[in-house]
Structures are given as C-alpha cells and as structure tokens.
Amino acid sequence: MTELGVAPAIRSQGSDYAELMRQVRGAGLLERRAAYYYVKIGVTAALLAAGIAAFVLIGDSWWQLGTAAYLAAVFAQLGFVAHDAGHQQIFRRRPANAVVGLVHANLLIGFSYGWWVSKHNLHHAHPNEPGRDPDVAAGAIVFTPQEARVLRGPARLLARWQVWLFFPLLLLESANLHALSVGALLRRRTRHSNLELGLLLLHAAGFLAVVLLVLPPVKALVFVVVQQGLFGLYLGCAFAPNHKGMPMPESGSSDYLRRQVLTSRNIRGGRVTDWVLGGLNYQIEHHLFPSMPRPNLARVQPLVREFCVRHGIDYLQCGAVDSYRQALRHLRTVANATLRAPVTTT
C-alpha cells in the first residue's frame, strides 16, 4: 500500500519549506508518539465495546436510536485513527500502520483502507485543485462555477439548490463511501484486494447479525439508517471546514508551502475541538507535515503561524460556525453560476 500524504523531497535547502522543516525537526515534533496512540486506540476500543454492550442490554426498544447516535460518533473516532495510520503517524514501520488501518477502516467501520489511502494521496498532493483533487470533483455537489455552468437537467437543478442540500446529502456519505470502497476493490484487483474485501464482508455480516439478533426487522432498519446517516454527517462536518471555500489554485501555481497553507483553514478550539475533529482542526499543519503525530499538531501550530506571518503568507484560522458559513457562501456562489448558464434546446 502506498504511503499516504508524505511531504515531497526538499529540492532546495534554501527554500522556505526547508527552513520551516529544519525548525520542526529541531523541535522533535516529527517523532512518533506511540504511547499516545496506545491510549487513544485503547480508549476508542473501550467506547466501542461500551456501545455494543449498551445496545445488547437495552434490547428491543426505540431508545436504541440514542445508541445509534452514540455509535455514529464512535465510528467517526475509529475513522480518525485509520486516517492517522494511513499517514504513518502511529508507528515508524509501514506494515504496523497498515494493520491498524485495515482493522479500524475495513473491519470496524466498513471502508476500504487501501482505496482511501490512494484517494487521499491525491488530495494531499493537489489540495483544492480542480481536476486533480478528488475531494472537489463534481458529483452531487459541484465546487467551481465553470462546472456549474455546463450542467443541464436534474444535475443543474441539484447544483442550484446545493447550499440547502449540502448537510442533508452528508447523511448519505457513509453509504456512498461503502459503495465506493467495494466498487474500487472489485475494479482494481491487487494482492490486498481479497483481504480488504474479506474484512468488509466480515464487518457487514457481524454488524447486521448483532443488529438483527437484538432488534426486529423494522427497528433494525431504522437503527442502521440512523447510525449510518449520523456517521456520514459527522464525517462530512469534520472534513468540510478544512478546504471548502478556500482558494482553488491552478496546477503548479505555487510552491508546496504556499499551496498547502493557502488552500487550508484551521478551526479554533481547545481539547474538546481536537477530540471532536480528530486533530483535523489543525488542517494547515497537517497538510504541511502529514506524517506528524496528531498530538504534536497543537504544539507546532504557533511555530507555523509565526513563520507564515514573517514570510507574508496568509494563515486562516476561524471558529467552526464561521468555517461552515464560508464553505456555504462558496457553494452559493457556485450555485448562482447555474442562473447565468444559457439553456440550450435540441
């Protein structure tokens, strides 16, 4: 499996990024934090076990919708651990990180670790770059006025209302990621595909077996829909503030340092925010140093911010509500492009 989100080799020892990297290495902030991750993985596993135990003990009851919401949050935390493993943040050795990633992504939440690593690699290499960053590829949501203007029919109508549909569509994100995972593994057969597919099958069988053993069919269906819907909403709300509404550069329009900083947005907050967003609230620092362990991101932030100010590089940090406002404002600008698009008839 490909190593994910590793900063490129420094071509010039006199570059701004090389200077910043020397400071970060000198401060020891790229060193692994194994003890932190042992605790993080243990606590997250305990939260999952507590949720399963509560589900079994509560039994046939509509109170299980509360358990569904709880498990949606726990699944997101498991996803954050898989994210860190994909970035080689946990262990020095890639196989050890892969094991953590496969267990947390494929087995526990039902997403393909290998497919996601490949996709996320492209995002880190080309953040917010139309045509190259898969996270801003046109789909149910479009992110550039150029894409919106050429839409026709239902796709155009969807784009026109995308500001209002953005959060409701996130309720489908988990189902979308499940489908994309399976589809990618079936299309691209590698030596890991059978292992990943087997783990996905084991996840689905185990998840559905537990739910159907405890709940009758109708309640089981509602439980799955609520749990998976809220899980997707949580993931979408964690990822959306990071780049949506930020500049969308053309290919090769800036150096690595500026490309990563100018396309990313940090979210203010303390330890609660760090936990809720899985450290992704330090998006600028994460993009500059993707293999940096999560607990070191808060420590490196003042250094990066001061460096950017000194070099005249815009460094954006705002509150969570403001970040969503900026993202939705961008989606509204894109949606307005559909109103100016000429309608052609045949």
Side-chain angles (χ1 to χ4, degrees):
M1 292 179 183
T2 306
E3 188 170 353
L4 185 147
V6 176
I10 301 171
R11 297 177 181 175
S12 169
Q13 291 303 309
S15 70
D16 290 340
Y17 184 71
E19 177 188 348
L20 178 60
M21 178 63 84
R22 284 193 292 270
Q23 294 181 32
V24 171
R25 287 191 185 279
L29 294 174
L30 292 176
E31 296 298 319
R32 297 295 174 266
R33 298 284 299 275
Y36 166 87
Y37 279 107
Y38 288 141
V39 173
K40 170 65 67 177
I41 291 171
V43 169
T44 308
L47 292 173
L48 177 61
I52 296 172
F55 178 78
V56 173
L57 290 173
I58 292 172
D60 182 0
S61 168
W62 286 111
W63 287 107
Q64 293 287 19
L65 296 184
T67 312
Y70 171 85
L71 286 173
V74 173
F75 271 36
Q77 292 299 318
L78 293 168
F80 294 147
V81 174
H83 169 271
D84 292 2
H87 280 293
Q88 313 302 307
Q89 294 178 15
I90 302 176
F91 301 111
R92 292 186 182 279
R93 295 177 61 83
R94 191 178 303 175
N97 285 302
V99 169
V100 173
L102 288 168
V103 169
H104 284 75
N106 292 65
L107 182 61
L108 296 181
I109 62 177
F111 297 161
S112 167
Y113 174 73
W115 163 76
W116 179 82
V117 164
S118 297
K119 173 180 175 291
H120 203 58
N121 261 333
L122 293 174
H123 163 68
H124 268 264
H126 309 284
N128 255 25
E129 189 177 316
R132 304 188 76 178
D133 180 358
D135 287 358
V136 293
I141 300 291
V142 290
F143 297 99
T144 69
Q146 294 81 2
E147 291 171 331
R149 290 191 189 103
V150 300
L151 294 175
R152 294 293 180 269
R156 184 181 180 191
L157 183 63
L158 188 66
R160 184 173 299 177
W161 291 96
Q162 66 180 11
V163 175
W164 304 102
L165 295 173
F166 180 68
F167 288 109
L169 283 173
L170 290 181
L171 294 168
L172 302 175
E173 183 62 12
S174 177
N176 180 50
L177 292 173
H178 287 304
L180 290 173
S181 293
V182 174
L185 291 173
L186 291 176
R187 284 193 308 272
R188 298 180 58 188
R189 306 297 293 171
T190 69
R191 61 193 181 96
H192 298 290
S193 296
N194 288 338
L195 171 61
E196 289 210 54
L197 284 169
L199 291 173
L200 292 182
L201 181 60
L202 190 58
H203 164 81
F207 182 82
L208 294 176
V210 172
V211 172
L212 289 171
L213 283 172
V214 174
L215 297 176
V218 173
K219 286 180 182 174
L221 176 62
V222 174
F223 177 89
V224 171
V225 168
V226 170
Q227 195 272 336
Q228 289 292 299
L230 293 179
F231 174 35
L233 180 64
Y234 189 151
L235 287 180
C237 288
F239 287 109
N242 302 336
H243 302 280
K244 302 300 181 284
M246 297 300 292
M248 302 183 73
E250 296 179 358
S251 178
S253 61
S254 60
D255 60 73
Y256 177 80
L257 173 69
R258 286 163 179 79
R259 183 167 66 250
Q260 301 299 339
V261 174
L262 296 177
T263 60
S264 302
R265 176 196 293 115
N266 277 10
I267 306 301
R268 293 193 190 94
R271 291 184 178 181
V272 173
T273 302
D274 294 354
W275 184 84
V276 170
L277 296 180
L280 297 178
N281 45 312
Y282 302 105
Q283 191 67 194
I284 294 173
E285 290 73 23
H286 171 57
H287 263 254
L288 288 173
F289 312 104
S291 63
M292 179 177 288
R294 192 194 310 184
N296 288 353
L297 294 172
R299 296 172 58 196
V300 80
Q301 184 190 23
L303 189 156
V304 172
R305 185 172 54 219
E306 189 277 332
F307 185 91
C308 288
V309 170
R310 182 154 42 89
H311 286 77
I313 304 171
D314 289 340
Y315 181 103
L316 180 58
Q317 181 173 251
C318 64
V321 174
D322 191 29
S323 73
Y324 293 119
R325 186 181 297 117
Q326 292 178 41
L328 292 174
R329 186 182 304 128
H330 173 73
L331 293 182
R332 181 178 292 109
T333 299
V334 174
N336 288 340
T338 64
L339 301 176
R340 297 189 295 270
V343 178
T344 59
T345 59
T346 57

